[in-house]
Structures are given as C-alpha cells and as structure tokens.
Amino acid sequence: VRDLARAFCDSYDVELGDDDRRAAEMTLLWADLWRQARAEYARCKAAERLLDFNDLEARARALLLDDQVRRRCRSEFSCVLVDEFQDTNSAQRDIIYALAAPDEVDRLFVVGDGKQSIYGFRGADVSVFTQTRQDIQRCWGDQAIIPLDESFRAHDGFVQALNFLFARIFTVEGARKPYEIAYEPIHSLRPTPDRGPLIRILH
C-alpha cells in the first residue's frame, strides 16, 4: 500500500500528510468493523432463518451447479431473454448460463448497452456484459449481434449532436480493456423540428 501511495504521489505531484496516515489507520479499523458486522449479520439471519437478496442469488447459483436441478430447471424454459444485461454481475450470468448457454441454438437472447451500466454500486459489472457479448459472437458470428442503432424518440438534430459529443467522450486509445466500450453512432427516424433551439447548453 505504501508503494502504491508513493507511486500515486509521484504521478500527481502531491505529498502524504498526517491526515493521510490517520486515514490509513482508520481504514484498517473500518475493515475490521466491517468483518465483524458481516459476521453478526450472518448470525442474525441464521437465527431467524432469513435470507437476503445476495443469499438468494448465491443459493440459486449453487443449486444450478447441481446437474439434476439444472436439468429440471432447463426443461421448464424453452428460451431465456434478459433485458438490461449491462446491469448483471458474474453470479447472475452463471445462473443465466446454467439455464441457457450461449452455444445452444435459439436459447439465449440478451439486450443491453454497456454505456448504460450505472449499477456498479449494486454489484453490476459491465465486463460481464462485454464477455457475454463476446461469448455469443464467438459461437454464432457477427450476425448474432443486432445493433439497436435507430431512435424513434429523439429528432435528427439532437441525435447528430449526441453522436458528435459521445464519439469523443467514448474514444478508446491503445489496447482496449474488456469493459471499455467505443461509441457506436445512432440514427434518428424523426425529422429535426424547424422551431426553437435544438440544444441549449447551460453553464
């Protein structure tokens, strides 16, 4: 941690002070408190025979790892469609794959936009979306990816401005990481209105 802190300071021309040292000490105490709180929470749930959302997710995943359970559950679904897939995590992806693997014909259909992944605080991981897209593409080729690049809602002038702006914001230089997403322009099916400002920028 000290080495990382020094590297950070060297990169940004800052120095560590007393507040930083106190914060480091408090972080270790906070981590210990967090471990104790989790243990007490687990004890209370067990005593009351209760499960929370994370428990349900973990136990569903564990159940589906059992061949007999997985076969029975799979027989109840001819196909699986998952919307807002950019908001999934790896455990949820494992559950979905247990029910409908990407290499099975006409079993799995996912809809999502990696640029809209905003639920990281809730465990969503945009790299799961990216990897799933790659899994499907590897099995079925480029034709399996259907870009939803037409807007029926926004007019053309507004869409052109978005394309101009976001193509620059989402520019990825050099080697791309799995979760990095380049901007793909959209097209509007609504004409630009002939009245009023198309965009108003407020400083």
Side-chain angles (χ1 to χ4, degrees), residues 31-173:
D32 188 48
L33 178 63
W34 178 249
R35 281 190 288 270
Q36 291 181 45
R38 282 179 61 93
E40 178 65 12
Y41 179 54
R43 188 194 66 74
C44 291
K45 284 190 297 182
E48 298 291 328
R49 299 174 63 82
L50 298 173
L51 300 173
D52 64 14
F53 181 81
N54 290 336
D55 297 326
L56 294 173
E57 187 176 84
R59 290 180 182 222
R61 180 182 177 276
L63 271 173
L64 287 167
L65 293 177
D66 179 276
D67 289 338
Q68 187 175 353
V69 174
R70 184 168 62 249
R71 277 196 301 273
R72 178 178 172 184
C73 290
R74 287 170 59 83
S75 69
E76 297 179 13
F77 298 95
S78 59
C79 59
V80 174
L81 183 151
V82 186
D83 196 13
E84 304 292 355
F85 197 84
Q86 75 275 358
D87 296 327
T88 57
N89 60 39
S90 58
Q92 293 164 346
R93 189 262 322 274
D94 292 346
I95 291 169
I96 293 163
Y97 274 21
L99 297 173
D103 60 349
E104 297 175 277
V105 178
D106 297 334
R107 290 269 303 171
L108 178 62
F109 189 93
V110 300
V111 181
D113 180 358
K115 297 184 296 302
Q116 295 184 45
S117 183
I118 59 172
Y119 288 98
F121 65 93
R122 213 172 59 189
D125 182 355
V126 70
S127 68
V128 170
F129 167 78
T130 305
Q131 184 59 57
T132 300
R133 177 180 170 141
Q134 292 171 355
D135 291 347
I136 292 170
Q137 203 165 9
R138 184 177 61 253
C139 293
W140 305 107
D142 292 342
Q143 71 274 8
I145 307 300
I146 304 169
L148 302 177
D149 58 0
E150 294 181 339
S151 172
F152 295 86
R153 186 180 301 167
H155 60 69
D156 187 57
F158 182 65
V159 166
Q160 286 186 41
L162 290 182
N163 286 339
F164 176 84
L165 179 65
F166 287 117
R168 286 152 179 77
I169 292 174
F170 283 97
T171 297
V172 179
E173 297 178 1

